[in-house]
Amino acid sequence: MTAGASVGPRQRLASSRVQGAWLAALCAVLAYTAALAGECVFDDVHTVLANPALQEPVDWWRLCTDPTAFSGSAARMYRPTVVVSLAANAWFGAAVPAWKLGNVLLHAAVAWTLVFWLCRWHAPRRAAAAAGVLFAVHPLCSENVNLVSARSEILLVWFALLALLAHRAALRGRWCLGTLGTALATAGACGSKETGALLPVLFVWQSWLACRSAADRRTLVRGVAAAVPAVCVVAGYLWLRHHLLGQATAELIGRVGSDPASGHGRTLLVQLATMGTLLPKALLQIVWPSGLTIDPEVAYRTSIFEPAVWVGWCSVSGLAVAGLLPGRGVCLRRLGVAFAGVLALPWIVVPLNMPLAEHRLYGPALGVLVALLPWGVRLARAWPRRWALQPRHGVMVLGCCGLVASTARSLDYRDERHLWRTVLAERPTAWRAWWGLGAAELRAGQVAAAVPALQQAHNLYPEHYDVLRNYVEALVWLPLEQQRPFAAVVAAERFAAAGPRDPWARTLLAEAQIQ
């Protein structure tokens, strides 16, 4: 008997799955290696570079218990998994390429895990590998990889896939190990982002889809029982959030305010109406990633009765229903729709400062790809074999295009100022772009160049506290021959009035008065 004949069908199948997973991981590394040439951008500055919790020596207990460890003392967000991963990342180097390399490897791990999860749901191994490759090189993932602070999304999706994979193992008979893995992965997901608290919904959904018939109640019961430890983990996580932050979940009802550009000043009604016009654009970018930008344009809507809002919500709901209908590949389609919906639900209903951001589409993009996979398999099987071009050629072309686009997008992050100037070239009234450009100039030591950009940002959004702070800093730090003392005093007085308890505001006012 030859060596090849001694390998059984099961071993060959497992080997092909491993090869497909490693191919997807390799494509992720190739597509985003250019990210290592970039710099820390925007939120990365206070989350990573200027975060005192990540400075040596690292206090690991503080990382797990202090809600200010993620983003400094100015913001309170409890994400221990993220800060622990950043601190561990610092062991291999605290330079910017080391942080970016950590994101690249985590993205590769997501693509690797995706292939195995799809295979566990009996997706054809070549189709699973193709899905992993296409997700690995998707240009929409560029913001997640290039923004170190967006590691929270990558970790959330990775732990969600690991939890679903472990839960699937519990459904297939490995109950003890699968249940333990489900609980641990759920803890990792909750520590990555608040959305992890919704994972038990996916466990129940996965248990229901695993039932072979309506009478197969044992599988459903076993799946729900395997999710009970994860539910306990979520309950403990919510209690800890309430203890540390004063609230377990975000407040939705009772929000008042007249400033829709601010998350605290946007009501739930305005949030849902605005999302009615933004979600179709997000879905379109998942399928065809054109017009990627670090500052997406948002037109705030104040009424859910506007035609554009109704059309948007009806189109998104119709596509979701189409993915849930019975037919071939119904399990994968329903899993994909549920995965995308659960991971998108928090930022759809919770008013955040940025209603739409590319890095939040990381998980929904994976879910949409899974939902579209059965239709892709069906198209490939119906494709005429006599034609020269075959579906695998299409996957190769899409993979190469994605690799080139992802590399080009990563190269844009070599200079943060280039990113903001690109936005301003298309939308000169984008206040966040003016603010980002001015703050980047300020960090680069180009104070004179920062003043007009920050002044423009302040004129467009006078109520924004951090914009005003940066504008006053730039005025106060101007070189002697370029100082504008009267403008500095006026702006500093306005800043001190906006933050009467902020000692930095009083310091800047004193420096302006001295000038």
Side-chain angles (χ1 to χ4, degrees), residues 440-481:
E441 295 281 12
L442 202 60
R443 289 192 297 271
Q446 303 297 325
V447 181
V451 170
L454 293 170
Q455 182 179 9
Q456 183 67 9
H458 176 61
N459 292 337
L460 292 170
Y461 193 179
E463 297 84 8
H464 199 283
Y465 187 77
D466 291 329
V467 171
L468 179 57
R469 172 176 55 83
N470 289 149
Y471 177 44
V472 175
E473 289 172 343
L475 287 172
V476 170
W477 295 341
L478 277 171
L480 181 62
E481 63 277 4

Side-chain angles (χ1 to χ4, degrees), residues 100 272 421 441:
K100 300 292 184 96
L272 295 179
R421 290 190 183 109
E441 295 281 12

Side-chain angles (χ1 to χ4, degrees), residues 124-165:
R125 58 186 184 276
R126 291 185 178 179
V133 168
L134 292 180
F135 180 75
V137 302
H138 202 302
L140 194 60
C141 303
S142 59
E143 187 167 291
N144 297 85
V145 177
N146 286 276
L147 279 177
V148 180
S149 54
R151 179 178 296 190
S152 56
E153 293 285 346
I154 305 178
L155 285 170
L156 168 67
V157 173
W158 186 41
F159 279 112
L161 288 176
L162 289 175
L164 289 169
L165 199 58

Side-chain angles (χ1 to χ4, degrees), residues 47 95 117 134 141 152 158 172 263 292 298 415 432 446 450 457-458 487:
T47 302
W117 183 52
L134 292 180
C141 303
S152 56
W158 186 41
R172 292 166 62 91
L292 300 181
V298 176
D415 187 352
R432 185 172 282 106
Q446 303 297 325
H458 176 61

Side-chain angles (χ1 to χ4, degrees), residues 210-236:
C211 297
R212 299 181 179 179
S213 64
D216 187 8
R217 301 302 180 99
R218 291 179 300 176
T219 301
L220 180 60
V221 172
R222 186 166 58 246
V224 173
V228 169
V231 173
C232 296
V233 168
V234 170

Side-chain angles (χ1 to χ4, degrees), residues 290-317:
S290 62
L292 300 181
T293 174
I294 195 172
D295 185 21
E297 184 177 7
V298 176
Y300 294 99
R301 307 284 179 165
T302 58
S303 173
I304 59 173
F305 299 105
E306 296 184 33
V309 175
W310 275 100
V311 170
W313 274 112
C314 289
S315 61
V316 172
S317 302

Side-chain angles (χ1 to χ4, degrees), residues 373-444:
L373 184 60
W375 282 311
V377 172
R378 189 174 182 180
L379 177 63
R381 289 174 176 173
W383 196 270
R385 299 298 177 187
R386 64 180 181 274
W387 288 8
L389 294 177
Q390 293 298 312
R392 65 177 181 275
H393 299 142
V395 173
M396 293 174 61
V397 171
L398 288 176
C400 292
C401 291
L403 193 149
V404 172
S406 299
T407 301
R409 182 63 178 159
S410 295
L411 292 176
D412 289 339
Y413 284 80
R414 289 179 298 176
D415 187 352
E416 181 182 358
R417 291 168 290 186
H418 169 73
L419 286 170
W420 299 119
R421 290 190 183 109
T422 303
V423 176
L424 293 172
E426 298 179 0
R427 290 192 296 120
T429 58
W431 68 267
R432 185 172 282 106
W434 284 112
W435 178 31
L437 176 60
E441 295 281 12
L442 202 60
R443 289 192 297 271

Side-chain angles (χ1 to χ4, degrees), residues 98-120:
W99 306 111
K100 300 292 184 96
L101 179 60
N103 279 22
V104 172
L105 295 179
L106 285 172
H107 176 57
V110 171
W112 191 90
T113 310
L114 172 62
V115 175
F116 274 94
W117 183 52
L118 292 175
C119 289
R120 286 291 182 267

